[in-house]
C-alpha cells in the first residue's frame, strides 16, 4: 500500500466517522453522498480486479457478504428521532466500532489472500468499493426507517382528535 493510499483511507475514514457521529437531518436525495465518494475514490485508486483463481474469488465474496451484513446492522442500530417534524440520525459508539471493525476485516482478508497466494491484486480501491456497498445498504435502511417515523402520528397531535 502506497503512502497516498494510506492517506486516502485515513482521510476518508476520518470523514466517515465525523459524518456518523454528528447529528444530521435524514434527507432522501443526499443519502448516498458518502457512498458515491467512497465508490469514486475506490475506482480512481485502483478499483477491483477479477479473481484469477477459484480461491481468489472467495475473498471478494466474503468481503461483499460482510459489507451487506454490516450495512444491515448499522442501518438498524443508527439512532433516529423526530424533532420539529424532521427526522434526524446519529451514529453511536457501537456503529462507529462496527465500521472500524469492517475496515479492519477488509485488511485482514487482503493480508490472508496475499500470504496464501490466493490474490495479490486487492488493494485500497477494493476496500473502498466494499465500504461503499455497506454505506449504500445502511443509507437505504436509515432512509426507510426515517420514512416510517415521518408517517407516525405525534402523541398529543390535535389532528388526531
Amino acid at each position: 500500500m502506497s503512502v497516498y493510499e494510506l492517506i486516502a483511507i485515513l482521510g476518508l475514514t476520518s470523514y466517515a466517522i465525523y459524518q456518523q457521529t454528528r447529528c444530521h437531518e435524514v434527507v432522501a436525495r443526499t443519502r448516498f453522498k458518502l457512498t458515491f465518494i467512497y465508490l469514486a475514490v475506490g475506482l480512481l485508486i485502483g478499483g477491483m480486479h477479477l479473481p484469477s483463481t477459484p480461491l481468489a474469488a472467495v475473498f471478494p465474496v466474503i468481503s461483499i457478504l460482510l459489507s451487506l451484513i454490516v450495512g444491515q446492522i448499522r442501518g438498524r442500530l443508527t439512532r433516529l428521532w423526530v424533532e420539529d417534524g424532521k427526522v434526524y440520525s446519529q451514529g453511536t459508539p457501537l456503529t462507529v466500532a462496527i465500521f472500524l471493525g469492517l475496515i479492519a476485516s477488509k485488511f485482514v482478508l487482503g493480508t490472508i489472500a496475499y500470504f496464501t497466494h490466493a490474490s495479490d491484486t486487492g488493494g485500497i480501491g477494493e476496500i473502498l468499493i466494499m465500504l461503499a456497498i455497506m454505506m449504500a445498504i445502511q443509507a437505504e435502511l436509515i432512509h426507510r426507517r426515517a420514512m416510517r417515523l415521518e408517517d407516525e402520528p405525534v402523541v398529543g397531535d390535535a389532528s388526531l382528535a
Side-chain angles (χ1 to χ4, degrees), residues 66-86:
L66 281 172
S67 292
L68 295 171
I69 292 166
V70 169
Q72 284 282 326
I73 292 169
R74 292 189 64 214
R76 294 183 193 287
L77 294 179
T78 297
R79 186 173 160 247
L80 293 179
W81 70 95
V82 178
E83 189 175 306
D84 299 326
K86 297 177 182 177

Side-chain angles (χ1 to χ4, degrees), residues 13-161:
T13 300
S14 298
Y15 179 70
I17 291 171
Y18 166 74
Q19 288 292 89
Q20 292 172 47
T21 57
R22 72 178 185 81
C23 165
H24 62 280
E25 183 180 356
V26 177
V27 180
R29 63 179 162 68
T30 60
R31 70 183 178 270
F32 296 119
K33 178 178 137 184
L34 201 54
T35 299
F36 291 133
I37 291 170
Y38 267 69
L39 184 62
V41 174
L43 290 171
L44 287 171
I45 286 180
M48 295 188 64
H49 304 277
L50 290 175
S52 57
T53 67
L55 179 59
V58 169
F59 291 95
V61 169
I62 291 170
S63 191
I64 289 170
L65 287 174
L66 281 172
S67 292
L68 295 171
I69 292 166
V70 169
Q72 284 282 326
I73 292 169
R74 292 189 64 214
R76 294 183 193 287
L77 294 179
T78 297
R79 186 173 160 247
L80 293 179
W81 70 95
V82 178
E83 189 175 306
D84 299 326
K86 297 177 182 177
V87 179
Y88 291 90
S89 73
Q90 185 175 25
T92 66
L94 179 58
T95 60
V96 171
I98 292 169
F99 175 71
L100 293 173
L102 180 64
I103 292 172
S105 75
K106 306 292 183 178
F107 280 102
V108 168
L109 284 172
T111 302
I112 292 169
Y114 179 79
F115 282 116
T116 60
H117 304 288
S119 174
D120 61 357
T121 60
I124 200 77
E126 280 189 26
I127 292 171
L128 294 176
I129 291 168
M130 297 300 173
L131 290 174
I133 292 169
M134 179 272 304
M135 290 174 185
I137 299 296
Q138 177 185 346
E140 183 60 24
L141 195 58
I142 289 171
H143 169 69
R144 290 179 185 196
R145 287 178 56 212
M147 287 180 7
R148 284 194 303 268
L149 276 178
E150 287 174 334
D151 293 339
E152 287 182 8
V154 178
V155 176
D157 190 349
S159 65
L160 296 175

